[in-house]
Amino acid sequence: MEPLSVPPGHMSAHQAATTLGISLGGIRQLVARGRLVRAGGTARQPYYATDDVLAILATRVAA
């Protein structure tokens, strides 16, 4: 379930997963490995800083 409102400059977990081309499980793995940090939300509906997601995307594209 998507959060009702995500602050500007942030992405929901679903949006981040879509942007990175991975599943929600992949997002959880990035968080567990410390590569992505939650920027707020709740335990069930976290959101992430857009800049952090785009930085991960940039490293994947460059590789």
Side-chain angles (χ1 to χ4, degrees), residues 13-14 16-18 20-38 48 56 60:
H14 289 276
T18 300
L20 295 173
I22 60 177
S23 67
L24 289 174
I27 293 292
R28 287 190 290 273
Q29 287 295 319
L30 289 173
V31 171
R33 292 178 180 148
R35 296 198 56 218
L36 185 60
V37 178
R38 292 179 177 155
Y48 305 95
I56 293 170
R60 289 176 178 233

